């Protein structure tokens, strides 16, 4: 595999999987304190 | 009856299930190799930020704020006069449901055939023709709708979330296993080289850019109304931007994994023959998946297992997307006052009947795939209109930034007001130009003719516009 190909492979994987892993981590970690009214017809469990 | 909500992880995995579909498994490997491998990745990544991510964030923000399906959300967000735009968006995804369930049926058939009729698959061309020219696709279409319907009837957390929590991690495990397997095949490294070595001169070719935008738009499901529908049930605690970026990057990762599995394997089987690879990739998505791959995988060591795993992965990807396609019209009917059970039964019956022509005629299937596939770009544009009508800055501040730790600033406004309409216009003109090259434009019943596409859009668009008041009063309550 060419040197350029290896570098490009690493960059692509870093962006896609790095972005994916970071987004999952931040999504799971972050809790939003939302202040809008509870709409009708939904459970209020959460 | 009170509706349940997704758990945090459940919403992320269900969103991934919506986004990751056949576009990742059967389309991405084909498109990337046809468009210069590494060079294609650059524009494809750019469009992640100026099409997929903003549109997914917009949909999530709309769904979680209005807590209603596509039609009612358009009515509440844009005003009663614009309900028909929401109806068009909902119709495009529902028209896709009518033939997408047929594809899920094909996957079930090929899983069974790989297990029980593996030798018959060696003559894959005649196997495919005999299967699609008979009435079996109807039975498998009914089966796929039935299984999907049972999951949707079970509800959000007991049905959709539970299934996605099993299938999506399994799909990623299969894809990672596929990459490891393809990496160990002799000569497969040449496939990786072909896939990732960038030829930067190809970036001057506008076709590469437009194919990258098309792939980004079709693969992530951004602007289809599907993630909006799931967001109706999302937890109040979730971050809109982080969730949208998880779905987008997850979808992109699945595409890369599928490319790294399929392309090197084809290189190995074809003996590093780039000409043979190019010929195979010129075939349609169905041609590559259901004709070329079954015969080529038979040349692999333990080919039956490899083929079975490939079709299982394709089924998982397609089925989880099918669930979101069934949920979209179901949610609209729930908004109109139906119970979930009645809404699902109605959607299944209509889908089965409307899917009959696609199940028994490949020509009709291709026409519908083309007509409503391109219409998805229109749907994406309608979402940018939604935001503009609502007030771009107001939408950003009140619906997105209040529900996210990230501040998007003026970049979001520029994307919505200028970049999405620009991409929509260019892409539409380019695809129309492609269709004129493929087939005489004036054939009303042509497979890919321009007139056929525009007529179908206009007919349905006009009907929704004409009955806007009824839609607004009776359906989008």
């Amino acid at each position: 595999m060419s040197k350029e190909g290896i570098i490009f492979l690493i960059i692509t994987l870093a962006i896609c999987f790095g972005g994916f892993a970071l987004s999952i981590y931040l999504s799971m970690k972050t809790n939003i304190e939302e202040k809008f009214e509870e709409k009708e017809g939904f459970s209020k469990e959460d | 009856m009170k509706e349940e909500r997704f758990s945090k992880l459940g919403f992320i995995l269900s969103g991934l299930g919506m986004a990751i579909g056949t576009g990742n498994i059967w389309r991405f490997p084909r498109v990337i190799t046809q468009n210069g491998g590494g060079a294609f990745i650059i524009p494809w990544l750019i469009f992640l930020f100026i099409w997929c991510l903003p549109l997914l964030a917009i949909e999530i923000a709309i769904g979680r704020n209005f807590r209603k399906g596509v039609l009612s959300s358009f009515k509440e967000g844009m005003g009663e006069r614009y309900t028909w735009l929401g109806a068009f968006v909902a119709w495009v995804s529902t028209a896709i449901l009518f033939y997408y369930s047929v594809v899920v049926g094909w996957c079930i058939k090929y899983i069974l055939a790989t297990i029980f009729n593996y030798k018959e698959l060696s003559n894959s061309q005649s196997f495919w023709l005999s299967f699609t020219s008979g009435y079996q696709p109807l039975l498998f279409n009914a089966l796929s709708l039935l299984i999907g319907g049972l999951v949707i009837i079970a509800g959000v957390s007991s049905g959709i979330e539970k299934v996605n929590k099993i299938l999506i991690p399994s799909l990623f495990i299969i894809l990672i296993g596929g990459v490891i397997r393809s990496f160990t095949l002799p000569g497969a490294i040449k496939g990786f080289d072909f896939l990732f070595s960038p030829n930067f001169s190809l970036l001057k070719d506008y076709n590469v850019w437009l194919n990258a935008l098309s792939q980004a738009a079709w693969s992530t499901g951004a602007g289809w109304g599907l993630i909006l529908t799931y967001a109706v049930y999302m937890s109040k605690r979730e971050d809109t931007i982080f969730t949208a970026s998880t779905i987008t990057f997850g979808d992109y990762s699945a595409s890369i994994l599928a490319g790294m599995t399929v392309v090197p394997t084809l290189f190995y089987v074809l003996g590093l023959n780039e000409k043979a690879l190019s010929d195979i990739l010129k075939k349609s998505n169905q041609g590559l998946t259901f004709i070329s791959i079954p015969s080529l995988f038979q040349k692999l060591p333990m080919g039956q297992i490899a083929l079975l795993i490939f079709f299982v992965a394709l089924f998982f990807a397609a089925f989880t997307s099918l669930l979101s396609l069934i949920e979209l019209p179901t949610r609209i009917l729930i908004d109109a006052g139906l119970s979930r059970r009645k809404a699902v039964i109605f959607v299944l019956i209509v889908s089965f009947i409307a899917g009959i022509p696609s199940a028994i005629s490949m020509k009709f299937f291709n026409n519908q795939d083309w007509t409503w596939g391109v219409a998805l770009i229109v749907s994406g544009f309608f979402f940018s209109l939604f935001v503009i009508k609502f007030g771009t800055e107001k939408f950003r501040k009140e619906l997105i930034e209040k529900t996210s730790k990230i501040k998007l600033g003026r970049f979001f406004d520029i994307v919505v007001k200028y970049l999405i309409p620009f991409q929509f216009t260019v892409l539409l003109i380019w695809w129309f130009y492609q269709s004129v090259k493929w087939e005489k434009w004036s054939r009303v019943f042509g497979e890919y003719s321009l007139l056929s596409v525009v007529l179908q859009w206009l007919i349905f668009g006009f009907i929704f516009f004409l009955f806007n008041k009824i839609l607004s009063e009776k359906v989008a309550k």
Side-chain angles (χ1 to χ4, degrees), chain A residues 1-2 4-5 8-9 12-13 15-17 19-20 23-24 26-32 34 36 38-39 41-43 46, chain B residues 2-3 5 8 12 38 64-65 67 192-193 196-198 232 235-238 242-243 245-246 249-250 253 256-257 403 405:
Chain A
M1 201 171 169
S2 69
E4 270 190 331
F8 211 78
L9 170 65
T12 307
L13 294 183
I15 294 173
C16 291
F17 289 95
F20 187 31
S23 303
I24 291 182
L26 291 171
S27 294
M28 296 307 291
K29 196 183 134 206
T30 312
N31 278 320
I32 299 293
E34 206 178 341
F36 64 76
E38 186 65 42
K39 306 274 173 177
F42 288 88
S43 66
D46 62 343
Chain B
K2 286 190 184 300
E3 286 283 358
R5 287 211 176 144
K8 256 189 173 188
I12 288 171
R64 78 182 290 166
N65 181 67
R67 300 283 177 189
F192 282 93
D193 203 23
F196 289 103
S197 288
V232 170
S235 155
K236 289 189 293 178
R237 292 192 298 268
E238 281 194 62
F242 291 152
T243 309
S245 65
T246 305
F249 281 109
S253 300
I256 289 287
L257 289 173
T403 59
K405 299 276 184 198

XYZ file of all heavy atoms in Angstrom, chain A residues 1-2 4-5 8-9 12-13 15-17 19-20 23-24 26-32 34 36 38-39 41-43 46, chain B residues 2-3 5 8 12 38 64-65 67 192-193 196-198 232 235-238 242-243 245-246 249-250 253 256-257 403 405:
485
model
N 0.847 -1.193 0.000
C 0.000 0.000 0.000
C 0.884 1.246 0.000
O 1.884 1.295 0.721
C -0.888 -0.011 1.260
C -2.119 0.851 1.144
S -3.231 0.571 2.556
C -4.359 1.916 2.310
N 0.522 2.251 -0.798
C 1.370 3.432 -0.901
C 1.343 4.247 0.400
O 0.400 4.133 1.193
C 0.891 4.317 -2.053
O -0.351 4.897 -1.721
N 0.985 7.429 0.681
C -0.158 8.363 0.613
C -1.459 7.676 1.030
O -2.277 8.235 1.747
C -0.330 8.873 -0.820
C 0.436 10.129 -1.128
C 0.028 10.691 -2.479
O -0.373 9.889 -3.343
O 0.126 11.912 -2.655
N -1.617 6.436 0.540
C -2.824 5.655 0.849
C -2.952 5.405 2.344
O -4.039 5.528 2.907
N -3.859 8.622 4.112
C -5.262 8.961 3.834
C -6.213 8.039 4.586
O -7.244 8.481 5.101
C -5.521 8.879 2.331
C -6.558 9.845 1.883
C -6.257 11.190 1.705
C -7.864 9.438 1.665
C -7.232 12.092 1.314
C -8.846 10.336 1.269
C -8.515 11.666 1.090
N -5.847 6.769 4.659
C -6.656 5.792 5.402
C -6.743 6.207 6.873
O -7.830 6.220 7.466
C -6.028 4.400 5.267
C -6.575 3.278 6.140
C -8.009 2.959 5.784
C -5.741 2.019 5.996
N -8.915 9.365 7.311
C -10.345 9.045 7.128
C -10.908 8.326 8.354
O -11.977 8.689 8.863
C -10.549 8.153 5.881
O -9.930 8.794 4.776
C -12.013 7.934 5.582
N -10.156 7.326 8.817
C -10.637 6.571 9.986
C -10.699 7.479 11.213
O -11.632 7.394 12.015
C -9.724 5.370 10.265
C -9.715 4.262 9.207
C -8.827 3.108 9.654
C -11.118 3.740 8.928
N -11.201 10.740 11.339
C -12.345 11.664 11.277
C -13.654 10.915 11.549
O -14.446 11.307 12.411
C -12.404 12.393 9.913
C -11.196 13.321 9.756
C -13.702 13.198 9.782
C -11.069 13.966 8.381
N -13.871 9.814 10.800
C -15.158 9.109 10.921
C -15.327 8.458 12.297
O -16.304 8.720 13.003
C -15.289 8.051 9.829
S -15.476 8.772 8.193
N -14.362 7.612 12.677
C -14.510 6.888 13.943
C -14.236 7.780 15.149
O -14.860 7.623 16.200
C -13.609 5.647 13.959
C -14.106 4.598 13.023
C -13.605 4.513 11.728
C -15.107 3.714 13.392
C -14.080 3.576 10.842
C -15.592 2.774 12.514
C -15.077 2.695 11.232
N -14.858 11.024 15.225
C -16.072 11.832 15.349
C -17.204 11.034 15.959
O -17.952 11.528 16.812
N -17.314 9.780 15.555
C -18.369 8.888 16.054
C -18.186 8.644 17.558
O -19.125 8.831 18.352
C -18.309 7.571 15.266
C -19.427 6.606 15.555
C -20.693 7.042 15.904
C -19.214 5.230 15.444
C -21.728 6.142 16.151
C -20.234 4.320 15.690
C -21.483 4.777 16.056
N -18.699 11.854 19.609
C -20.116 12.233 19.650
C -20.902 11.337 20.602
O -21.746 11.817 21.358
C -20.748 12.145 18.260
O -20.068 12.938 17.361
N -20.630 10.041 20.557
C -21.336 9.119 21.477
C -21.007 9.502 22.919
O -21.898 9.614 23.773
C -20.928 7.643 21.238
C -21.456 7.144 19.901
C -21.469 6.750 22.363
C -21.125 5.693 19.624
N -19.995 12.376 24.175
C -20.611 13.646 24.570
C -22.129 13.519 24.697
O -22.738 14.099 25.586
C -20.247 14.751 23.561
C -18.778 15.178 23.581
C -18.472 16.102 22.409
C -18.418 15.866 24.890
N -22.733 12.733 23.782
C -24.189 12.533 23.848
C -24.587 11.868 25.160
O -25.563 12.258 25.800
C -24.674 11.638 22.710
O -24.499 12.254 21.500
N -23.841 10.849 25.533
C -24.191 10.093 26.734
C -23.903 10.892 28.002
O -24.591 10.744 29.014
C -23.421 8.758 26.772
C -23.770 7.795 25.651
S -25.527 7.449 25.484
C -25.856 6.506 26.947
N -22.861 11.741 27.911
C -22.430 12.488 29.099
C -23.297 13.723 29.362
O -23.540 14.098 30.503
C -20.968 12.923 28.876
C -20.235 13.355 30.114
C -18.838 13.838 29.748
C -18.600 15.137 30.475
N -17.689 16.035 29.903
N -23.765 14.344 28.262
C -24.449 15.629 28.403
C -25.913 15.457 28.787
O -26.620 14.622 28.221
C -24.384 16.402 27.061
O -23.044 16.372 26.600
C -24.838 17.843 27.228
N -26.343 16.249 29.730
C -27.755 16.287 30.102
C -28.263 17.713 29.942
O -27.700 18.636 30.517
C -27.958 15.844 31.549
C -27.992 14.341 31.656
O -28.566 13.662 30.824
N -27.332 13.813 32.672
N -29.296 17.867 29.150
C -29.846 19.198 28.911
C -30.970 19.458 29.916
O -31.837 18.610 30.117
C -30.404 19.307 27.464
C -29.287 19.065 26.447
C -31.103 20.640 27.228
C -28.218 20.116 26.412
N -33.919 21.066 29.940
C -34.834 21.743 29.032
C -36.032 22.295 29.803
O -36.542 21.668 30.710
C -35.308 20.772 27.954
C -35.699 21.472 26.697
C -36.120 20.467 25.646
O -35.778 19.296 25.760
O -36.824 20.884 24.721
N -39.075 23.428 28.365
C -40.329 23.655 27.650
C -41.438 22.778 28.226
O -41.185 21.796 28.897
C -40.187 23.490 26.135
C -39.817 22.122 25.674
C -40.746 21.110 25.643
C -38.515 21.853 25.229
C -40.415 19.851 25.193
C -38.180 20.602 24.785
C -39.130 19.604 24.769
N -44.334 20.231 29.023
C -44.572 18.826 28.692
C -45.764 18.736 27.749
O -46.823 19.283 28.034
C -44.875 18.056 29.973
C -44.995 16.570 29.790
C -43.691 15.933 29.354
O -42.638 16.293 29.881
O -43.766 15.068 28.469
N -45.552 18.120 26.584
C -46.664 17.998 25.631
C -47.599 16.875 26.084
O -47.183 15.929 26.745
C -46.123 17.682 24.227
C -45.082 18.669 23.739
C -45.710 19.859 23.086
C -44.635 20.879 22.771
N -45.100 22.033 22.075
N -49.941 13.606 25.998
C -49.872 12.311 25.340
C -48.563 11.570 25.504
O -48.330 10.551 24.885
N -47.662 12.093 26.331
C -46.402 11.399 26.556
C -46.233 11.099 28.032
O -46.689 11.855 28.884
C -45.207 12.243 26.085
C -45.121 12.314 24.598
C -45.794 13.301 23.902
C -44.419 11.360 23.894
C -45.747 13.350 22.525
C -44.367 11.403 22.522
C -45.025 12.392 21.836
N -45.536 10.010 28.298
C -45.281 9.685 29.691
C -44.296 10.696 30.251
O -43.511 11.265 29.519
C -44.687 8.284 29.800
O -43.427 8.254 29.199
N -39.372 10.458 32.124
C -38.003 10.973 32.092
C -37.968 12.438 32.503
O -37.009 13.086 32.348
C -37.376 10.783 30.712
C -38.131 11.534 29.661
O -39.283 11.917 29.928
O -37.585 11.741 28.591
N -50.792 6.874 26.509
C -49.546 7.638 26.538
C -48.447 6.921 25.765
O -48.309 5.710 25.859
C -49.107 7.848 27.987
C -49.971 8.885 28.694
C -49.365 9.239 30.027
C -50.254 10.202 30.801
N -50.496 11.452 30.120
N -47.700 7.700 24.986
C -46.596 7.126 24.213
C -45.344 7.053 25.087
O -45.114 7.922 25.924
C -46.305 7.999 22.990
C -47.340 7.866 21.892
C -47.201 6.591 21.085
O -46.285 5.792 21.335
O -48.039 6.398 20.194
N -41.100 6.895 25.640
C -39.975 7.628 25.064
C -38.765 6.720 24.964
O -38.638 5.736 25.686
C -39.627 8.824 25.950
C -40.673 9.912 25.802
C -40.069 11.265 25.991
N -41.090 12.262 25.750
C -41.180 13.392 26.417
N -40.325 13.671 27.350
N -42.112 14.269 26.121
N -31.740 7.322 26.222
C -30.693 8.038 25.485
C -30.012 7.133 24.462
O -29.932 7.437 23.279
C -29.626 8.534 26.475
C -29.712 9.988 26.763
C -28.497 10.392 27.546
C -28.495 11.902 27.693
N -27.270 12.400 28.268
N -30.147 6.979 20.161
C -28.937 7.013 19.308
C -28.905 5.782 18.393
O -28.693 5.888 17.187
C -27.661 7.086 20.186
C -27.555 8.475 20.821
C -26.411 6.767 19.378
C -26.479 8.601 21.867
N -9.962 7.545 -2.718
C -9.602 8.573 -1.731
C -10.079 9.962 -2.101
O -10.519 10.725 -1.224
N -38.441 17.162 18.548
C -38.456 17.236 20.004
C -39.233 18.453 20.500
O -39.720 18.465 21.619
C -37.045 17.216 20.577
C -36.308 18.534 20.478
C -34.902 18.438 21.027
N -34.881 18.287 22.468
C -33.798 17.920 23.161
N -32.688 17.661 22.540
N -33.841 17.816 24.462
N -39.326 19.494 19.656
C -40.056 20.686 20.074
C -41.569 20.525 19.895
O -42.336 20.781 20.816
C -39.581 21.902 19.284
C -40.316 23.165 19.723
O -40.141 23.617 20.842
N -41.160 23.690 18.854
N -43.211 17.652 19.081
C -43.685 16.351 19.564
C -44.832 15.808 18.725
O -45.773 15.195 19.224
C -44.114 16.434 21.040
C -42.997 16.847 21.976
C -42.025 15.711 22.250
N -40.909 16.120 23.092
C -39.850 15.371 23.320
N -39.730 14.176 22.778
N -38.875 15.787 24.066
N -7.309 -2.050 -0.671
C -7.250 -0.925 0.271
C -6.537 0.260 -0.388
O -6.917 1.409 -0.213
C -6.509 -1.334 1.550
C -7.361 -2.144 2.486
C -7.355 -3.533 2.438
C -8.187 -1.521 3.409
C -8.144 -4.272 3.287
C -8.986 -2.258 4.264
C -8.972 -3.649 4.209
N -5.488 -0.064 -1.133
C -4.718 0.974 -1.823
C -5.607 1.692 -2.843
O -5.630 2.916 -2.927
C -3.519 0.322 -2.534
C -2.410 1.331 -2.767
O -2.371 2.340 -2.041
O -1.595 1.109 -3.685
N -8.139 3.935 -0.950
C -7.732 5.103 -0.167
C -6.659 5.981 -0.796
O -6.415 7.079 -0.298
C -7.284 4.666 1.234
C -8.436 4.220 2.085
C -8.680 2.872 2.310
C -9.318 5.140 2.630
C -9.756 2.450 3.074
C -10.404 4.726 3.396
C -10.621 3.386 3.615
N -5.980 5.512 -1.851
C -4.951 6.377 -2.447
C -5.633 7.508 -3.196
O -6.368 7.275 -4.154
C -4.070 5.568 -3.410
O -3.266 4.721 -2.647
N -5.403 8.728 -2.758
C -6.142 9.831 -3.386
C -5.496 10.305 -4.684
O -4.280 10.468 -4.753
C -6.072 10.939 -2.326
C -4.846 10.636 -1.541
C -4.553 9.189 -1.656
N -39.724 12.724 18.055
C -40.972 12.962 18.784
C -40.915 12.250 20.145
O -41.467 12.715 21.128
C -42.180 12.446 17.942
C -43.468 12.455 18.741
C -42.331 13.281 16.676
N -35.779 11.706 24.595
C -35.735 12.204 25.963
C -35.448 13.705 25.964
O -34.759 14.214 25.088
C -34.631 11.454 26.716
O -34.166 12.221 27.773
N -35.971 14.402 26.971
C -35.761 15.847 27.074
C -34.309 16.180 27.391
O -33.866 17.286 27.189
C -36.626 16.408 28.214
C -38.101 16.427 27.904
C -38.860 17.195 28.967
C -38.804 16.469 30.309
N -39.482 17.219 31.371
N -33.598 15.190 27.921
C -32.241 15.470 28.392
C -31.193 15.422 27.290
O -30.057 15.798 27.498
C -31.866 14.473 29.487
C -32.660 14.658 30.763
C -32.068 13.853 31.896
N -32.095 12.428 31.606
C -33.083 11.618 31.950
N -34.113 12.090 32.604
N -33.054 10.335 31.660
N -31.576 14.921 26.115
C -30.554 14.724 25.069
C -30.125 16.022 24.408
O -30.925 16.942 24.246
C -31.078 13.760 24.021
C -30.975 12.339 24.496
C -31.156 11.340 23.394
O -30.351 11.343 22.460
O -32.121 10.572 23.462
N -25.138 16.962 19.543
C -24.319 15.756 19.780
C -25.022 14.514 19.229
O -24.389 13.615 18.662
C -24.035 15.572 21.278
C -23.108 16.607 21.855
C -23.172 16.968 23.191
C -22.147 17.227 21.062
C -22.313 17.922 23.732
C -21.288 18.185 21.586
C -21.375 18.539 22.927
N -26.350 14.472 19.400
C -27.098 13.314 18.892
C -27.050 13.279 17.368
O -26.816 12.220 16.772
C -28.569 13.375 19.366
O -28.586 13.573 20.768
C -29.301 12.111 19.031
N -24.769 14.550 15.460
C -23.418 14.218 14.979
C -23.100 12.738 15.215
O -22.402 12.116 14.417
C -22.360 15.132 15.605
O -22.298 14.915 16.971
N -23.653 12.147 16.281
C -23.439 10.702 16.491
C -24.032 9.916 15.328
O -23.403 8.998 14.789
C -24.121 10.239 17.802
O -23.640 11.034 18.871
C -23.831 8.784 18.088
N -21.829 10.723 11.995
C -20.511 10.073 11.985
C -20.645 8.546 12.034
O -19.835 7.828 11.449
C -19.650 10.569 13.151
C -19.031 11.928 12.898
C -19.468 13.043 13.576
C -18.021 12.085 11.959
C -18.906 14.299 13.343
C -17.454 13.336 11.711
C -17.902 14.450 12.408
N -21.659 8.053 12.741
C -21.881 6.606 12.797
C -22.238 6.054 11.429
O -21.756 4.998 11.011
N -19.117 6.037 9.361
C -18.216 4.951 9.778
C -18.690 3.624 9.199
O -17.874 2.813 8.734
C -18.177 4.854 11.310
O -17.707 6.058 11.851
N -17.681 3.421 5.571
C -16.245 3.132 5.411
C -15.984 1.642 5.672
O -15.254 0.980 4.923
C -15.407 4.013 6.373
C -15.435 5.476 5.907
C -13.971 3.513 6.492
C -14.615 5.776 4.666
N -16.597 1.112 6.734
C -16.406 -0.312 7.049
C -16.915 -1.197 5.911
O -16.273 -2.182 5.536
C -17.130 -0.669 8.355
C -16.533 -0.114 9.654
C -17.455 -0.423 10.833
C -15.146 -0.705 9.917
N -31.287 23.493 23.289
C -31.249 22.051 23.567
C -29.882 21.467 23.241
O -29.756 20.287 22.926
C -32.320 21.315 22.735
O -32.059 21.577 21.338
C -33.707 21.763 23.077
N -25.364 22.012 24.073
C -24.249 22.730 24.718
C -23.427 23.468 23.663
O -22.554 24.254 23.990
C -23.337 21.739 25.456
C -24.024 20.971 26.565
C -24.060 21.749 27.858
C -24.664 20.891 28.974
N -25.111 21.700 30.089
